[in-house]
Amino acid sequence: MTHRIVKISFAVLIVVICATGAWAGKKNIVYATSADVTTWDPSTSYSTELTYMINIYETLIRVNPPGSAEPFSYLLATGFTASDDGLVYTFHLRKGVKFHDGTPFTAKAVKLSIDRTSRLGQGAAFIWKDLEAIKIIDDHTIRLIMKKPVPVPQIAASAYASYIMSPSVVDKNSAWFDEGNECGTGPYRLENYNPGESMMLTRFKDYWGGWEKNQPDNVLVKMSWDSLVKLQMLQSKEAAIVNAIPSDSYKSVRDGRDTQVVYGPSYINYLLFFNTSRAPLDNVKVRQALAHALPYKDMIDVAFAGKATQPRGIVPKGQFGHDENVRQYCLDLDKAKGLLAEAGFGGKELKLVMSYCGANQAEARMAPLLKDQLKKIGVDLQLKPLSWPAQWEEGKRAEKDGQDLFFLMWWPTYSDPYETLVSLLGTEEKTLWNFAYYSNPAYDALIRKAYETVGSDMDAALKMYVEAQNIIQDDMPAVAVADAKTAVPALRNLDNIIVNPAYPGGLFFYDMSLK
C-alpha cells in the first residue's frame, strides 16, 4: 500500500484543530512548526523535513544523545562488526520488520536503498562516496566494503541519505515521493499532506517496536511561520508542542502551570557567508573587517535570550572537531576600519545585500543588529528576507549576481566534522551549501585526509580538523556567529521529549508519551 496525497479540506482542519478537548486528547497531538518540506524523497532529503523523515523512515542504527551509556541504538540492525583495517562492516539485521506496504524487511532493501541514494547523487549522498561494494550475505546479514577507513557507523546513523525504503518504491522518482507518497518502516505513516499547510502522521500498527498505551496515535502537523501564533496555540492547548516561540516568552512558558520548555544540547549553528566570487568581498581584508565588526554578544542575547555561545570555527560546539585551539574573531570596530582602509575602502561606503530566512526568528532578530552595526564601519547593508526554499534556490544560482552575504542555520548530517567542513566550504562544481563560492585545494585535501584518519587515529584527525578551521579563519569565507542550544516548548502533559543533537531539530514522536 502506498499513500497518495490527500488534501485535507479547510473545514475538516478547522474541526480537527479546534476540537482540542476531543481530538487533541490522550492519543493525539498537534505540532505547530515552521519546518517545511523541501522534498519527501528519502534519498535526496537534506533540509527542514528531518522531523517527518525520522518518524516515517529508519536507519540501521541511531546515534544516542550525549551522556548515554552506549554510542548507538539499534533500529533496523541489531549489531555490527568491523574488520581490523576498518574497511569491512558486517551488519546483522532485525527480523520481523515490515514496511508500510507490508513488504518484509531484508538485506535486499538495504542494498537497494543505498544503491538508489548513491546513484541519484543528490542531497547528502556524498556520505556513501567511499563505499566500494555491498554484499548480501543472507536475508538478515549485509556487508559494507569501503575504499577507505571512514566512520561507517556514523554514516549508517546519518540524519540524511541513510534511510531504508521498501524495494517496491526504489524505482520511483522524486516527483512520485513529492506527491506525498512514502514507504518506510518507521512508527508513523504519512496519512495526509497539504503542502505548506499541514500533514497527518498516523500510527503504523505493525511497527516492529510495538506500542504502549500512552504513545501518540496521530500527529497533526500545522505549518506556522509566526512565533507569536505558535505561542498562542501552545497556551490555548491547541498545540501540544511547537518548534519556536518569541525569544522573550521562553521564561514564562518554562514556568507556566501547563507548559514547559525542554532544553538540551544542539549541533545547530548560525553562519554568515561572504560572497568571495566578486568585489568587494573577493578581498580577504574586507571579509576579515566584517567579521571583526559583528556584535556577537548582542546577537546571542537578542536572538537566543543568551541560550547560545559564540563559536570557535564552523564545527558546532559539542561535536567532535570543535576545539578551543580554533581562533575566534571578536568585536573590534577599530580593527575593522583599519582592515577596510588597507583594502582601499577607507572612508568609502560599501553597499551590500544580505539574504536570510524571514521565518527563522533568530535570523530575523539578528539581521537588524547587523545592519545597524555595519553602518558604523561604512557598510550600507540591505536586508533581503525570503522563505527558506526561495533563499536556498537563489543562493545556489547567485554566485555572480545574487546576495553578498548569506545567513544560514546549519546542522550536520552525521557525527563527524568532515560533512560540515566539506559541505559548507569545500570546492563545489555546482553550488549546494557553499554560499561563499569558496575554493581552496589545500583545505579540501586537509579535511579529506582527516576524514580518512579518524577511524584509526582520532587525535591526529582532530589536529587536522583544527588546522583546517584555522585556514578558514584566515581566509574568512564565512563566519560562525552562534552555536545554539535546543529549546522545545510543549505542554506539561507531553513527556519524554528527547533532544538528540545528532538529529538537530528532530522530534521522535514514538518516544513521547501523553500523561
Side-chain angles (χ1 to χ4, degrees), residues 99-114:
F99 287 96
H100 296 169
D101 65 353
T103 301
F105 165 71
T106 65
K108 178 183 177 182
V110 177
K111 177 172 170 49
L112 289 175
S113 295
I114 296 174

Side-chain angles (χ1 to χ4, degrees), residues 358-398:
N360 185 303
Q361 180 183 189
E363 292 180 19
R365 285 176 174 262
M366 286 188 279
L369 287 177
L370 290 174
K371 180 178 178 67
D372 291 343
Q373 184 74 4
L374 293 182
K375 279 183 182 177
K376 298 175 182 178
I377 62 168
V379 174
D380 179 10
L381 185 66
Q382 177 187 337
L383 303 182
K384 189 176 183 181
L386 298 167
S387 69
W388 164 241
Q391 186 198 10
W392 192 20
E393 287 305 314
E394 182 178 281
K396 286 188 286 187
R397 64 174 187 270

Side-chain angles (χ1 to χ4, degrees), residues 228-514:
L228 181 58
V229 168
K230 287 180 283 190
L231 172 63
Q232 293 167 343
M233 291 177 71
L234 184 66
Q235 291 176 328
S236 67
K237 300 184 183 180
E238 185 178 327
I241 186 167
V242 301
N243 77 321
I245 56 177
S247 60
D248 56 5
S249 299
Y250 279 89
K251 185 179 185 303
S252 63
V253 170
R254 182 195 66 195
D255 298 336
R257 184 186 65 181
D258 298 319
T259 56
Q260 63 174 327
V261 178
V262 178
Y263 292 99
S266 168
Y267 295 159
I268 293 175
N269 60 1
Y270 286 78
L271 305 105
L272 196 59
F273 290 85
F274 303 125
N275 188 337
T276 65
S277 69
R278 65 168 192 262
L281 296 178
D282 57 349
N283 188 315
V284 65
K285 292 185 182 294
V286 176
R287 301 196 298 270
Q288 291 172 343
L290 296 186
H292 277 298
L294 301 184
Y296 299 98
K297 184 179 183 304
D298 290 346
M299 288 192 293
I300 287 169
D301 288 344
V302 169
F304 305 97
K307 299 294 184 182
T309 56
Q310 184 184 343
R312 287 185 175 273
I314 66 173
V315 175
K317 185 175 183 179
Q319 189 185 32
F320 173 69
H322 184 278
D323 194 271
E324 294 300 308
N325 291 311
V326 177
R327 293 189 293 276
Q328 187 180 59
Y329 277 68
C330 296
L331 174 61
D332 188 334
L333 291 178
D334 289 337
K335 189 165 188 176
K337 291 175 183 177
L339 286 165
L340 285 178
E342 290 176 27
F345 294 99
K348 299 178 182 178
E349 183 181 66
L350 294 178
K351 292 183 179 293
L352 302 175
V353 176
M354 183 182 78
S355 69
Y356 66 96
C357 177
N360 185 303
Q361 180 183 189
E363 292 180 19
R365 285 176 174 262
M366 286 188 279
L369 287 177
L370 290 174
K371 180 178 178 67
D372 291 343
Q373 184 74 4
L374 293 182
K375 279 183 182 177
K376 298 175 182 178
I377 62 168
V379 174
D380 179 10
L381 185 66
Q382 177 187 337
L383 303 182
K384 189 176 183 181
L386 298 167
S387 69
W388 164 241
Q391 186 198 10
W392 192 20
E393 287 305 314
E394 182 178 281
K396 286 188 286 187
R397 64 174 187 270
E399 181 174 350
K400 295 298 183 181
D401 58 0
Q403 78 289 327
D404 300 292
L405 288 77
F406 188 107
F407 223 145
L408 177 71
M409 179 182 75
W410 170 259
W411 58 84
T413 298
Y414 62 104
S415 297
D416 186 273
Y418 177 72
E419 189 256 346
T420 289
L421 296 169
V422 72
S423 295
L424 296 183
L425 292 169
T427 301
E428 291 183 324
E429 292 183 8
K430 184 178 180 181
T431 301
L432 183 62
W433 293 110
N434 183 348
F435 301 116
Y437 317 110
Y438 171 76
S439 178
N440 183 332
Y443 168 83
D444 295 339
L446 183 60
I447 60 174
R448 180 63 193 180
K449 184 178 179 182
Y451 184 55
E452 294 178 5
T453 303
V454 70
S456 57
D457 191 338
M458 289 187 70
D459 290 339
L462 178 61
K463 289 179 181 178
M464 287 184 271
Y465 281 138
V466 169
E467 182 183 348
Q469 289 178 85
N470 281 325
I471 290 174
I472 296 305
Q473 297 301 80
D474 289 339
D475 287 354
M476 193 39 62
V479 60
V481 300
D483 283 337
K485 297 178 183 178
T486 296
V488 184
L491 296 180
R492 287 194 182 275
N493 71 335
L494 190 60
D495 204 8
N496 205 34
I497 299 170
I498 295 174
V499 175
N500 190 335
Y503 307 90
L507 295 172
F508 296 93
F509 298 121
Y510 179 78
D511 294 325
M512 298 179 189
S513 62
L514 287 153

